[in-house]
Structures are given as structure tokens and as C-alpha cells.
Amino acid sequence: MITRRRALTLASSAALSACAPRDSNRVTWWAMGTTGENAPILLPPFTRTTGIDVDLQAVPWTGAHEKLLTGFAGGSLPDVMMLNTGWLPELNLLGALTAPPPALLTGHLPGANAAVTIAGRAYAVPWTADSWVQFYRRDLIAEVDYPAPPLDWAEWTRMAQAIVRRHPDRFATLHLLDWPEPLFAYAAQTGEPFLRDRAGRGNFRSPGFRAALAFYKQVFDLKLSPRVTGAEAGDTYIGLRRGWFAILPSDAVFLGDARRPEHRIVPGSWGAAATPGPRGAGAAMARGTCLAVSRTARDPAAAWRLVAFLTGADLQRQIFGITGDLPTRSRAWTMLPPDPVTRLFATQIADSVAPPAVPEWERITSEVQQVAEAMVRGRLGVDAAAAEMDARVDRILAKRRWLLDRGRIT
């Protein structure tokens, strides 16, 4: 595994290779996940209009973060990068990015622009917005006399227990132990910040996070979800289609995947509800992707033309139709079908909170989820797990505190 320090060391030795000439009139682009697989559909109009060819590489989300760090270390980053917005602070700290023209930031949802802004300056252009909701089987929820999953934790638990009583060989939901998103989605509902002391220490012993942690643990203690990882669970869409569980927490990728032949879930058989909170649905955790231009881009103007094309309202609407990825431009939202699922995402994204803009956030979520898994497996109680999370995160942030104390960062 490559670390940020290793990346910086290797980057120095790769500086000369980064200066090597590249093909003229060509922009290189790494695009991730399903969007990357479908990106060739989007590009012909751009090339016809501009005369700029795009050398596209589709990269699976698995391993994408390490590939970016390796690319930086080896001086082989593409001109344009599709990024999880959570990775932006880390790549900015490395000096891998260049700031976008201000004109490209107009017309986006406020939360989307906030997610690409670090210390008051944007380093990428928002591309897709997202949030986690509950997708559910209408028939299995109706069997226990609920029209939809309740939005407060207490009633949600009563509904889930009723499903398990009716189907003792099945589960109410699927919370994969290597997915940190459900836990952080519950915690975001409480309004407690994840970090404290100028983002120099963990805040996981706060009353809000411990309440979310207790609810998360209860899901497993009551056998409402199996204790499995993604590799053990197999295809989650097939599990939902077969009724192995009734509720699947997921982001908007569900909308595209549910239409794919290998996953196909019958339209009308499923619905979506907001993430439950302690006293009803509250703020959601902001998620999404952005497009950034490498500091070593051979032709930054051409790279930004590609970003401008891809982040336009018409393209964002087109991407929604292909993959289900939700737009960041306000005008694009007016072009989407006015169905309840779209309105749900619009409401939840509008009322979202951005994760802490620290380069260590990716590592922090991984460490917190590892401790949460140990708790679920019975090795820690809630208070001990919260204390262990704070201890690990404080160690991760030690260098940040050192820099804060000396005024090197703000």
C-alpha cells in the first residue's frame, strides 16, 4: 500500500518524467466505476465540437484511491481525474491539483460546492451528488403493516423486529461490515461533528455519535442484519430481489444498477425512504464526485474545456439517465423526472453536511469502521468502541495537531 509520504518521495524523482511530451490535442482522463464504464457514450460530441481527443481510462472504484497516489508518485496522473470528494483534501495536500476557473463553479448546489472547497478555495468542479437512503421491498414492508420504513430509530426497530418474526430465516436489512456509510449516515443525523479541536482530534465519544453507535450495534444484536462483509454477502441486488432481506441502505448507484439486466429488480416492487434518525430524518452525509485537473496537465485549458463539457446541466441529466448518478447543477435537477425517489434525494442532498475536509478522512473512516466491526462481533461495548475510535483517530491526526500548533495550516 502506498502512503502519502511515500508518494511525495517518489514524486520528486518522477518530476522529470512528468515533463515528457505527450500527444498534442489530446486530453487524458481517468473515470471511476460505472460512470467510467459508460463515459465513452458521452465523449463524441465533445471531440466533434472541440477537435480534442480524449484518452479515457475506466478505473474500478476498488483500488482507485491507491492508483491515484501511485500515479502521483510516478508522475503519471492523467490531465483530468474523477475523484470521490472525500479524497480531495489529500490530493490537494500533495500538490496534485490546480484550482478551477471560477466560472465553472456557478450554478451548482451550495452543498456540492462546499464539498470541493478547502480553506475557502475550490480545487475541483462538482460532478455528481449523492446521499445514502433506504431502498426497500414494498411487499415485505407491507406484510408487517407499514407503508414504508419509519424514519425514527425506535419505530424502525419495531418494524424490523416484526419482519424477522414473520420470516425467521431472513433479515430485515443488510448492513455490510466493511461499509462505513450506514454508521456515518446515522451519526450525521445527530448533528454532532465527527472531529473536534480544529479537526485535530476525534469526537467519537460525543453523546450523538455514541447514540448512533448503539443503534448500529443493536441492528446486529437483534439479528436484524447478518454479520457479513461484502465478499461474504455476494450480489446484494439479487439478495434484495429474492427477499433475503427487506431493506438495503445504498446511494443513488442503486437507481442505475437496479435497471441492469444482471441485477434487474422489478420496477414498482421497491421504494426509497430517508435514512432514519433518533427523532426522525435529519441531516444527511454529503457524498459525491468531482472532476479535477492535474497540476502537471500538459494543456490545462483543454483539460478545463473537458471538465466544463462534462459538468454542464445537459450532460448531468444524461448521466442520470444512464447510471442514476445525481446532478450537482440546480438546472439539471429541473430536467429530472418528478418522481418520489428523485424528490427524496433532492431533499436529503439539500439538507446534508460535508465530511471534515482533512486529508486523513479516508483513513479515519476505515479505522472507525474496523473498530465498529470489532464491536459488532462482540469484542467491544459501545463506550469502549467510541474510546478506541478516538484513540486511533487522535494518533492519525498527531501530525495535523503539530502543524496547527505552529500555524503551518489552519
Side-chain angles (χ1 to χ4, degrees):
M1 179 177 180
I2 191 166
T3 64
R4 191 165 63 246
R5 178 177 296 178
R6 177 68 171 157
L8 283 166
T9 303
L10 292 174
S12 299
S13 62
L16 289 177
S17 63
C19 298
R22 302 179 187 176
D23 292 344
S24 60
N25 217 31
R26 177 181 294 272
V27 171
T28 55
W29 177 31
W30 288 356
M32 315 308 185
T34 305
T35 307
E37 295 170 12
N38 289 280
I41 302 171
L42 310 174
L43 295 174
F46 174 75
T47 299
R48 279 198 304 272
T49 304
T50 65
I52 299 171
D53 290 324
V54 180
D55 184 358
L56 168 69
Q57 184 176 156
V59 180
W61 278 114
T62 306
H65 178 251
E66 187 163 19
K67 181 176 176 66
L68 288 165
L69 293 181
T70 303
F72 172 77
S76 59
L77 282 178
D79 299 317
V80 179
M81 297 167 275
M82 175 182 171
L83 303 175
N84 178 329
T85 51
W87 301 342
L88 204 58
E90 182 176 28
L91 287 162
N92 179 57
L93 184 66
L94 290 171
L97 309 176
T98 186
L104 295 187
L105 298 169
T106 60
H108 294 276
L109 300 171
N113 273 341
V116 299
T117 300
I118 303 168
R121 187 176 188 187
Y123 286 91
V125 180
W127 196 27
T128 66
D130 212 343
S131 180
W132 276 59
V133 302
Q134 309 180 77
F135 291 99
Y136 61 91
R137 282 270 302 265
R138 293 182 185 280
D139 55 343
L140 298 179
I141 300 296
E143 282 181 352
V144 292
D145 299 326
Y146 285 85
L151 300 183
D152 68 276
W153 290 347
E155 192 62 31
W156 187 96
T157 302
R158 282 190 282 275
M159 173 215 63
Q161 289 179 294
I163 292 173
V164 174
R165 279 196 301 272
R166 187 177 181 89
H167 298 287
D169 58 336
R170 302 181 190 177
F171 297 92
T173 187
L174 180 66
H175 283 35
L176 296 176
L177 289 174
D178 48 357
W179 281 4
E181 288 84 1
L183 173 58
F184 279 91
Y186 296 142
Q189 304 277 319
T190 71
E192 296 268 16
F194 297 119
L195 303 178
R196 61 184 176 89
D197 295 351
R198 295 186 293 165
R201 292 187 181 278
N203 193 35
F204 299 101
R205 282 175 289 182
S206 65
F209 195 89
R210 282 191 290 113
L213 204 54
F215 175 70
Y216 181 78
K217 182 175 184 292
Q218 180 180 262
V219 168
F220 297 94
D221 289 348
L222 297 177
K223 302 186 188 311
L224 307 179
S225 171
R227 293 181 172 91
V228 295
T229 62
E232 293 167 325
D235 191 315
T236 55
Y237 298 108
I238 291 176
L240 182 65
R241 188 174 69 203
R242 293 178 175 172
W244 182 42
F245 50 87
I247 299 171
L248 178 65
S250 180
D251 54 13
V253 71
F254 178 99
L255 302 176
D257 285 349
R259 295 195 292 258
R260 301 177 79 167
E262 65 270 32
H263 298 141
R264 185 172 170 77
I265 301 174
V266 178
S269 68
W270 58 270
T275 297
R279 292 171 293 279
M285 187 84 170
R287 292 168 49 87
T289 67
C290 55
L291 294 175
V293 168
S294 167
R295 186 175 291 277
T296 58
R298 183 189 53 83
D299 186 347
W304 285 121
R305 288 186 75 179
L306 176 60
V307 173
F309 170 79
L310 292 169
T311 58
D314 290 337
L315 254 290
Q316 291 194 342
R317 181 204 54 78
Q318 185 179 351
I319 291 167
F320 172 80
I322 298 170
T323 67
D325 287 311
L326 295 161
T328 59
R329 287 195 179 276
S330 302
R331 192 167 78 80
W333 278 95
T334 67
M335 304 174 181
L336 302 188
D339 59 54
V341 176
T342 303
R343 287 198 297 271
L344 168 65
F345 272 106
T347 301
Q348 195 157 295
I349 289 170
D351 188 19
S352 59
V353 294
V358 296
E360 299 85 356
W361 186 244
E362 184 78 9
R363 188 178 166 199
I364 288 172
T365 57
S366 175
E367 289 287 332
V368 167
Q369 187 58 29
Q370 287 178 30
V371 177
E373 179 177 351
M375 177 192 72
V376 166
R377 295 191 185 281
R379 295 196 286 271
L380 294 169
V382 170
D383 289 345
E388 176 64 17
M389 290 171 181
D390 272 348
R392 291 192 187 193
V393 172
D394 286 357
R395 285 196 292 273
I396 291 171
L397 295 173
K399 181 64 175 296
R400 177 176 174 80
R401 292 195 299 277
W402 188 90
L403 293 170
L404 283 169
D405 291 344
R406 287 156 181 79
R408 306 280 181 86
I409 59 174
T410 57

